[in-house]
């Protein structure tokens, strides 16, 4: 199978297995990421209370931890759910929203990376740079100064925590610290909407739930996500009509479209 | 008046009386259910703090309790608001999201049913089955194994708590434990979006706010909700464009459309 | 420059400076107001924990405090962030959602007005009337009985707290207690959606972040917001399709459109 055929097959696997994606995530994107989970083929659940997260995660195919509107209580719940997920071998996907913007965010993300075995971290260049200690500037939740070398930052962070790091931007970089996938799908409209990074994280989680080769799962997810944006763009008259067309495109994204449109390059490690 | 004429009249009554629907609900659907409340003709308010819920509910026509992202604090607020609503004769509509998925969810919903007089419980087949102790499997917030006999489960739960139970699915069942309404409106697109069950609950609350015959109010609400979905379906190119057309259709849903399209059957008790 | 040319210039300034708008806001509108911030040209961040709000706000161009789903913890965070904003000269825009509906809401908003120097308060007529002690009735979060004289109520509140007050309604009124701007842009569709008042507040914050003449900034923001609604209205087939067209129109709103369509009147003080 070619790489694109493998990506197409993986996208279908999500549809067939319908993995439950347990999110402990921020208030801004809960509705969006629940819908994206459904559209890509999974089942979403949002549950954050310490009294139930360990039980809820047992049914999940993957766990999303997203600190976009964090508070200490929620971080505790993330640790409880995360420990149980680790015990059960359920992959955890971390979205370190705003790492670098405040010390609480940087410290909380470091703690999650240190105390849990994270399968994939997905952030923008500034967030990954902040966690890797390799530059970039985050203002609020947005990178305003890019990291000089996103691949180097991603590799460093991946090696430090033995995880897979996905840096999204004009070109997405996915690495386990050695191998690198570059993903050239995507569209400028994505930057005009809140939470598109969080939604990309959700798609990575859905793919990681059914494919344990996490670097490939993450790269495939980002290719599908970006390709859906490309397919939707002609219908956009602005950000909101783009969003409608984009979600419709995620739902319909087919094996044929992926074979023709995914642009993933595997770089020798 | 025929049944459909009564449903059409009830939908207009909501528009004219504009009842305030006080929601203590989950983070995922707050925006959606606030909009659905407005589109059907009511006024939404979301308020969850123990310091104000008893006061807020006094102005309400109905109270929605939805445990989709529950925590113990919020359950306490639900009990405070619910007790006041009971004192004032304001109907409470309960959405037991994820009952059966975790013990916290099952226990919290049971507690609400035991300590409050609930006017209507609206859930999917797995949630109602879990509360009635009659089977079904809930994964996250979705029924993955249907209850064998949803009408029997609904009747059992209705009798146990002297309430009205609405089970939504391919065919909706509404019962007070004796009489049964079957509702055959609806569309497959509804399953591709998060929170459509929660939105159906909101419409039931708006109808119950202006019609004290709760089994009829719930059946009429579900018929209108499902009919709007049917009317919207031709404009759908995917889940997100369906959602836009669906909300537009709820807003415009007219007496003529209801007379022609509602499909409710009253079954002898 | 004419008034409309100044408004057009200000709207472009937001696009160029991309101010960070730190929101401590309600759960219902977080997604909407984050998107509106992006579409008007700013960067949104939602952060509410006491451990980070003082740090987050230092990077902000403006701070939005919105009590739509308030709880005492969040009010404390608003005070912490607000004090820091005041120290740094960062404008605070307050949205007193539901003031008048419960004593918690009225008291919390009064406390914010007393303990912080608020740059602009934006509310509907009932909310402003409740805070000014000049009548109006709020049911939930909606004005159900209008204040007799919104300009008088706005002036009184502005003078009491040395702030700028914006009352939105059929005609918007903006005043610092002496000068008055009247804004005649807007469209009836705005009333069919939840959170449009909150989104107007966000646009005011984005404008106040780059223009320290706050009465003008608020009036300009409301003119742009209302004008985008007017431009979107022909594409509306209902509330949801209106919302899509409205957000697209905010994003595209151009200097030419503003010069031709803004309807702001400066009334001698």
């Amino acid at each position: 199978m070619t790489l694109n055929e493998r990506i197409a097959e993986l996208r279908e696997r999500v549809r067939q297995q319908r993995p439950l994606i347990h999110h402990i995530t921020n208030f801004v994107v809960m509705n969006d990421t629940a819908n994206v989970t459904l559209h890509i083929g999974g089942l979403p659940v949002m549950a954050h209370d310490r009294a139930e997260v360990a039980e809820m995660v047992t049914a999940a195919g993957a766990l999303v931890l997203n600190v976009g509107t964090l508070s200490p209580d929620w971080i505790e719940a993330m640790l409880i759910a995360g420990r149980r997920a680790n015990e059960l071998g359920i992959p955890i996907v971390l979205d370190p929203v705003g790492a670098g913007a405040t010390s609480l965010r940087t410290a909380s993300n470091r703690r999650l990376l240190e105390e849990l075995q994270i399968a994939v971290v997905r952030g923008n260049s500034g967030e990954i740079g902040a966690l890797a200690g390799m530059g970039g500037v985050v203002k609020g939740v947005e990178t305003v100064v890019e990291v000089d070398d996103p691949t180097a930052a991603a590799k460093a962070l991946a090696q430090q925590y033995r995880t897979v790091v996905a840096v999204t931007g004009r070109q997405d970089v996915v690495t386990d610290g050695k191998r690198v996938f570059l993903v050239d799908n995507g569209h400028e409209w994505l930057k005009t909407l809140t939470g598109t990074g969080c939604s990309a994280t959700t798609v990575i989680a859905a793919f990681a739930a059914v494919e344990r080769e996490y670097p490939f799962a993450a790269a495939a997810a980002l290719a599908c996500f970006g390709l859906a944006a490309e397919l939707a763009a002609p219908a956009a008259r602005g950000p909101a009509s783009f969003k409608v067309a984009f979600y419709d495109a995620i739902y319909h994204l087919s094996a044929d479209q992926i074979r023709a449109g995914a642009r993933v390059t595997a770089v020798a490690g």
Side-chain angles (χ1 to χ4, degrees), chain A:
Chain A
M1 279 205 287
T2 67
L3 195 56
N4 279 15
E5 278 166 350
R6 288 179 60 207
I7 297 171
E9 185 278 327
L10 179 49
R11 190 263 176 281
E12 288 307 316
R13 217 187 304 160
V14 174
R15 269 206 186 102
Q16 279 154 26
Q17 297 192 15
R18 302 216 75 188
L20 181 70
I21 311 302
H22 178 185
H23 290 73
I24 307 180
T25 189
N26 72 70
F27 302 120
V28 183
V29 304
M30 279 193 190
N31 189 274
D32 284 346
T33 53
N35 275 324
V36 166
T37 304
L38 285 167
H39 301 346
I40 200 68
L43 295 176
V45 70
M46 275 60 185
H48 67 279
D49 195 81
R50 283 176 286 183
E52 74 165 350
V53 290
E55 186 179 358
M56 187 63 90
V57 79
T58 60
L63 173 65
V64 170
L65 303 180
N66 175 313
V67 302
T69 53
L70 83 174
S71 59
D73 262 17
W74 286 56
I75 298 294
E76 289 308 318
M78 290 181 186
L79 288 165
I80 292 168
R83 283 183 206 116
R84 189 83 184 104
N86 279 171
E87 285 167 16
L88 298 169
I90 295 165
I92 304 173
V93 181
L94 173 66
D95 194 322
V97 183
T102 66
S103 48
L104 178 69
R105 286 175 190 244
T106 307
S108 298
N109 283 301
R110 286 242 172 82
R111 190 171 168 211
L112 293 168
L113 281 162
E114 274 155 23
E115 298 195 19
L116 301 173
Q117 180 54 47
I118 303 292
V120 185
V121 185
R122 200 270 346 141
N124 59 40
S125 131
E127 289 159 351
I128 299 302
L131 292 174
M134 290 179 72
V137 176
V138 174
K139 189 171 169 184
V141 298
E142 200 107 359
T143 300
V144 289
V145 178
E146 299 286 340
V147 168
D148 283 339
D149 184 344
T151 302
K155 276 189 171 176
L157 190 66
Q159 286 164 3
Q160 186 179 354
Y161 294 107
R162 301 191 182 195
T163 186
V164 173
V165 175
V167 186
T168 50
R170 195 172 293 269
Q171 181 181 60
D172 304 329
V173 177
V174 178
T175 182
D176 59 3
K178 292 184 184 172
R179 288 174 304 160
V180 174
F181 287 105
L182 301 175
V183 182
D184 286 297
N185 293 103
H187 198 282
E188 285 296 304
W189 279 122
L190 289 170
K191 294 172 66 177
T192 66
L193 290 170
T194 193
T196 49
C198 304
S199 293
T201 298
T202 285
V203 177
I204 290 173
F207 279 47
V210 301
E211 167 58 54
R212 294 307 164 100
E213 198 194 316
Y214 299 137
F216 169 64
L222 292 175
C224 289
F225 190 79
L227 176 57
E230 295 168 27
L231 293 166
R237 292 172 304 278
S241 51
F242 168 72
K243 183 175 173 180
V244 171
F246 177 44
Y247 280 30
D248 283 357
I250 292 173
Y251 178 82
H252 286 300
L253 191 68
S254 70
D256 280 352
Q257 288 173 324
I258 293 168
R259 278 190 289 262
R263 291 197 297 279
V264 178
T265 313
V267 179

